[in-house]
């Protein structure tokens, strides 16, 4: 079962129309009388037509219908039998009076029941420094293109192509959920991607600079096509634009592979070339890998180059760069009084950054962490919703988390979604 | 009352209020013609909506209804203030909500008759409704404000469609906005 916080689905069925609305439940819901929903999507079936869209389109739909009905009621005109509605960005509708009424009522019921959170996207963009945006996008792109784009494009393309939302444009960073029965879960992930970006500011300035520099170098050397994707990422994209963006996504993949091979070569060769390689790998994986726990482990691995050398040639053959599967926190939901999710996420990522999971593990792990007076009291794995079923791998994650201390003393339950990517 | 009080009503001119009264009376007339609700139901609705202090008994109700400028009788006319108009608007949509099924089937019949190019009179619910609307209108409204039968039928059907929208959960708000819009000079 999916955590009730993560998905809000409303269905309004009236005699002549069916409206379905779903999205993420915002943490702000705790403060409001109605659940606050963000990243909203909707589908409407009326007059033998099917319409769908995102939040902005729902708002224009509501406005158009409201204006039309207001006019209809306020003016003394001879009753019309059909109502031709022009809807911006959507196909127009020809409705009978009853259909118009049902549509109007379903929209009304919907807005009475849920509060639609205005897009916070702009706000986030404004406070994000430019370097962080570049770094974040590259981290996301580099880390994901190898596995995710290849995995996602065939599986998710119908959904990606059909939802012209600004948010879905980021969903490639949530590698394919192998559970085809839950396509909606994908729509939950976009905000989480924002969270994975968050840990960066917590790193010290020096490592940040090094990383940015490395990333930029990588960019110049190997992946000229990537900035194109980077551009489509933060900005709202229209359907056409995105489906166009989907195609070039295959190209970078192949370029990326060549990049991988190059890196793999680097690993085979002598030690001087190892340093840039290892740092680009951490940029590739997750920025957090460079944080404290990782530093402890990496000098050790450098001291034993022979050992590394033995392992990695075999990887080069499979053109796979990562020795281990990576874990990253993609979603954090808190209940009760806890600190800001950003702190939690970065702290969790620090803990998990040191974790080495068997190569090839992938999938999603949903966990519930119970915190009592600043101490972790319990970890429960939502095995049903988790797509990573291997119990040994899940145990490794659990064991790592058991050593985790919440950044601020608090009580409550935290729901986290971890993405394990090979 | 809170539901409607957020709509700016402080700036309503006496002429606007007069428009509002006239239209509200017509909306109630349509509702009466369709559902045969009487003053008892209206008072009950006032009770349900906690509007008893505005609308306490039959006499007040009658006086409020008489406030329409279209009405025949000049005697006993009470000045309708904004609060009372709002109360009547809320009661109207409350009652429309209770009769939504009937309103809906009447509108469905109207749709059917229109597509098949038949006279609405031939539909059972509609025929009765138009007849009764006609009767009540002739009975109550002043001679000089009377309109031709055909125009009256159009008015009845227009009010029927409006009633459907007022019967929705947010119907009273919709009605109130429509009343204000109608009363604005530029819309006339």
């Amino acid at each position: 079962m999916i955590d009730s916080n993560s998905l809000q689905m409303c269905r309004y069925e009236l005699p002549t129309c069916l409206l379905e609305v779903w999205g993420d439940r915002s943490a702000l819901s705790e403060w409001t009388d109605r659940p606050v929903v963000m990243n909203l999507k909707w589908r409407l079936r009326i007059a033998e037509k099917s319409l769908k869209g995102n939040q902005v389109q729902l708002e224009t739909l509501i406005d158009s219908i409201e204006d039309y009905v207001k006019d209809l009621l306020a003016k003394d005109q001879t009753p019309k039998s059909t109502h031709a509605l022009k809807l911006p960005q959507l196909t127009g509708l020809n409705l009978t009076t009853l259909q118009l009424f049902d549509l109007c009522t379903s929209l009304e019921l919907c807005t009475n029941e849920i509060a639609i959170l205005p897009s916070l996207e702009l706000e986030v963009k404004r406070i994000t420094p430019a370097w962080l945006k570049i770094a974040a996008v590259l981290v996301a792109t580099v880390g994901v293109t190898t596995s995710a784009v290849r995995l996602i494009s065939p599986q998710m393309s119908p959904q990606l192509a059909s939802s012209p939302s600004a948010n879905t444009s980021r969903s490639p960073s949530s590698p394919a959920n192998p559970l085809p029965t839950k396509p909606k879960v994908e729509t939950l992930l976009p905000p989480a991607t924002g969270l994975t970006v968050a840990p960066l500011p917590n790193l010290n300035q020096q490592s940040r600079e090094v990383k940015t520099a490395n990333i930029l170098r990588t960019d110049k050397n190997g992946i000229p096509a990537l900035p194109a994707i980077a551009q489509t990422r933060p900005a709202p994209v229209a359907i056409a634009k995105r489906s166009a963006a989907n195609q070039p996504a295959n190209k970078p993949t192949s370029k990326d592979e060549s990049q991988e091979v190059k890196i793999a070569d680097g690993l085979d060769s002598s030690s001087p070339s190892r340093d840039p390689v290892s740092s680009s790998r951490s940029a590739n994986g997750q920025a957090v890998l460079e944080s404290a726990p990782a530093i402890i482990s990496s000098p050790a691995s450098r001291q034993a180059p022979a050992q590394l050398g033995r392992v990695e040639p075999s990887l080069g053959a499979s053109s796979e760069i990562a020795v281990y599967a990576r874990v990253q926190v993609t979603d954090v939901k808190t209940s009760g009084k806890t600190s800001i999710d950003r702190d939690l996420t970065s702290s969790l990522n620090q803990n998990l950054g040191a974790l080495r999971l068997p190569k090839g593990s992938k999938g999603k792990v949903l966990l519930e962490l119970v915190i009592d007076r600043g101490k972790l009291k319990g970890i429960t794995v939502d095995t049903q919703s988790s797509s990573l079923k291997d119990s040994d791998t899940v145990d490794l994650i659990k064991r790592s988390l058991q050593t985790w201390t919440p950044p601020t003393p608090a009580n409550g339950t935290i729901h986290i979604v971890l993405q394990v990517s090979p | 009352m809170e539901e409607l009080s957020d709509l700016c009503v402080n700036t309503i001119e006496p002429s606007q209020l007069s428009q509002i009264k006239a239209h509200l009376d017509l909306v109630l007339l349509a509702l009466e013609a369709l559902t045969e609700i009487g003053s008892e139901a209206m008072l009950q609705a006032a009770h349900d909506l906690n509007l008893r202090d505005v609308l306490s008994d039959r006499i007040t109700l009658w006086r409020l209804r008489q406030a329409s400028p279209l009405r025949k009788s000049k005697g006993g006319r009470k000045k309708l203030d904004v609060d009372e108009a709002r109360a009547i608007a809320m009661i109207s949509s409350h009652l429309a909500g209770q009769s939504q099924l009937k309103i809906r089937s009447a509108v469905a019949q109207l749709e059917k008759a229109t597509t098949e190019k038949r006279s609405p009179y031939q539909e059972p619910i509609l025929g009765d409704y138009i007849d009764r609307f006609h009767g009540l209108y002739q009975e109550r409204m002043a001679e000089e404000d009377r309109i031709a039968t055909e125009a009256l039928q159009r008015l009845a059907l227009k009010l029927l469609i409006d009633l459907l929208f007022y019967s929705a959960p947010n119907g009273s708000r919709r009605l109130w906005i429509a009343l204000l819009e109608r009363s604005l000079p530029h819309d006339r």
Side-chain angles (χ1 to χ4, degrees), chain A residues 15-16 66 69-70 72-79 81 96-102 104-105 108-109 112, chain B residues 23 100 104 107-108 111 114 154 157-158 161-162 164-171 174 177-178 181-182 187:
Chain A
T16 66
E66 277 300 310
V69 170
K70 201 174 114 187
L72 179 79
L73 296 174
K75 283 181 185 152
D76 283 315
Q77 55 207 0
T78 313
S81 54
T96 66
T97 310
L98 284 181
Q99 284 166 343
L100 176 67
F101 172 68
D102 283 343
C104 192
T105 309
E108 209 166 76
L109 289 171
N112 280 354
Chain B
H23 193 71
Q100 198 190 54
R104 212 189 151 96
V107 173
E111 271 181 12
T114 315
R154 246 202 324 271
L157 295 178
K158 159 83 178 127
I161 293 172
D162 291 357
L164 181 65
F165 287 91
Y166 303 148
S167 73
N170 281 0
R174 237 179 252 289
I177 291 172
E181 286 273 316
R182 286 171 162 275
D187 270 356

Side-chain angles (χ1 to χ4, degrees), chain A residues 186-330:
Chain A
E186 300 303 338
T187 61
L188 304 175
L189 289 163
T193 324
L195 290 177
T196 62
V197 172
L200 277 170
N202 289 343
L203 296 168
N204 64 61
Q205 188 67 36
Q206 203 187 350
S207 75
R208 250 193 267 152
E209 275 162 6
V210 168
K211 208 169 300 133
T212 318
N214 276 328
I215 285 161
L216 290 175
R217 208 184 312 146
T218 315
D219 179 33
K220 235 183 266 171
N221 291 341
I223 324 169
L226 281 178
I229 305 180
Q231 271 172 5
T232 63
R233 220 156 269 271
V237 196
I239 307 173
K241 214 171 161 191
R242 177 196 322 259
S243 50
N246 263 347
Q247 278 186 321
N250 291 329
K251 261 189 215 162
T253 312
S254 60
K255 287 228 172 93
D256 227 40
E257 271 165 11
S258 67
Q259 172 80 359
E260 280 167 24
V261 174
K262 212 184 289 171
I263 292 169
D265 287 350
L267 286 171
D268 287 336
S269 61
S270 57
S271 48
S273 67
R274 176 152 298 130
D275 263 8
V277 168
S278 70
S279 47
S280 74
R281 193 202 307 160
S282 53
N284 182 356
Q286 180 62 320
V288 180
L289 285 177
E290 281 209 348
S291 59
I295 287 164
I296 297 165
S297 62
S298 59
S301 60
R302 257 179 230 151
Q303 276 162 13
Q307 209 182 348
L308 265 178
R310 237 179 292 140
V311 180
E312 270 156 330
S314 65
L315 292 166
S318 65
S319 93
E320 197 69 73
I321 175 174
V323 188
Y324 310 103
R326 289 184 299 273
V327 195
Q328 69 182 63
V329 180
T330 56

Side-chain angles (χ1 to χ4, degrees), chain B:
Chain B
M1 294 297 275
E2 283 77 34
E3 192 191 342
L4 298 177
S5 56
D6 56 323
L7 300 166
C8 175
V9 289
N10 298 328
T11 53
I12 291 183
E13 304 285 317
S15 64
Q16 279 181 273
L17 201 52
S18 162
Q19 280 276 315
I20 291 174
K21 288 183 235 175
H23 193 71
L24 261 182
D25 193 38
L26 283 175
V27 171
L28 270 179
L29 189 87
L31 198 58
E32 281 176 274
L34 185 71
T35 65
E36 298 176 76
I37 51 147
S39 51
E40 196 54 53
M42 291 186 205
L43 289 172
Q44 182 58 46
H47 182 79
D48 295 346
L49 295 167
N50 281 327
L51 295 171
R52 291 228 70 145
D53 47 338
V54 188
L55 195 70
S56 53
D57 51 45
R58 257 188 198 74
I59 296 167
T60 324
L61 178 67
W62 179 77
R63 281 162 163 260
L64 290 181
R65 298 289 306 271
Q66 287 296 94
S68 164
L70 301 178
R71 288 283 190 136
K72 252 180 207 169
S73 163
K74 307 285 176 194
R77 178 167 296 177
K78 185 190 178 297
K79 248 184 121 179
L80 181 79
D81 66 26
V82 175
D83 279 349
E84 287 163 337
R86 281 200 299 218
I88 302 231
M90 288 177 78
I91 290 168
S92 307
S93 77
H94 182 77
L95 291 171
Q98 288 177 350
S99 307
Q100 198 190 54
L101 269 183
K102 183 142 193 193
I103 299 171
R104 212 189 151 96
S105 30
V107 173
Q109 285 187 3
L110 178 60
E111 271 181 12
K112 194 160 160 262
T114 315
T115 15
E116 292 168 12
K117 297 197 163 35
R118 282 184 287 122
S119 159
Y121 259 117
Q122 290 168 1
E123 306 297 324
I125 302 177
L126 278 185
D128 285 354
Y129 165 69
I130 295 169
D131 273 347
R132 250 194 314 266
F133 185 86
H134 197 268
L136 287 170
Y137 194 91
Q138 301 292 351
E139 180 190 316
R140 292 182 191 169
M141 303 305 171
E143 303 260 346
E144 59 266 33
D145 285 316
R146 283 198 196 156
I147 46 178
T149 314
E150 204 192 324
L152 200 59
Q153 181 183 322
R154 246 202 324 271
L155 176 64
L157 295 178
K158 159 83 178 127
L159 286 167
L160 174 68
I161 293 172
D162 291 357
L163 275 181
L164 181 65
F165 287 91
Y166 303 148
S167 73
N170 281 0
S172 64
R173 193 184 168 88
R174 237 179 252 289
L175 171 56
W176 189 245
I177 291 172
L179 289 168
L180 288 177
E181 286 273 316
R182 286 171 162 275
S183 72
L184 291 174
H186 61 81
D187 270 356
R188 286 162 69 186

Side-chain angles (χ1 to χ4, degrees), chain A residues 141-189:
Chain A
T141 320
V142 175
V144 152
T145 29
T146 50
S147 51
V149 172
R150 249 177 303 165
L151 286 169
I152 285 171
S153 355
Q155 283 175 18
M156 286 187 44
S157 51
Q159 219 189 354
L160 280 175
S162 62
S163 52
S165 142
N167 305 310
T168 7
S169 64
R170 281 197 264 142
S171 56
S173 59
S174 56
N177 176 6
L179 289 183
T181 45
K182 286 176 195 147
K184 265 152 215 142
V185 181
E186 300 303 338
T187 61
L188 304 175
L189 289 163

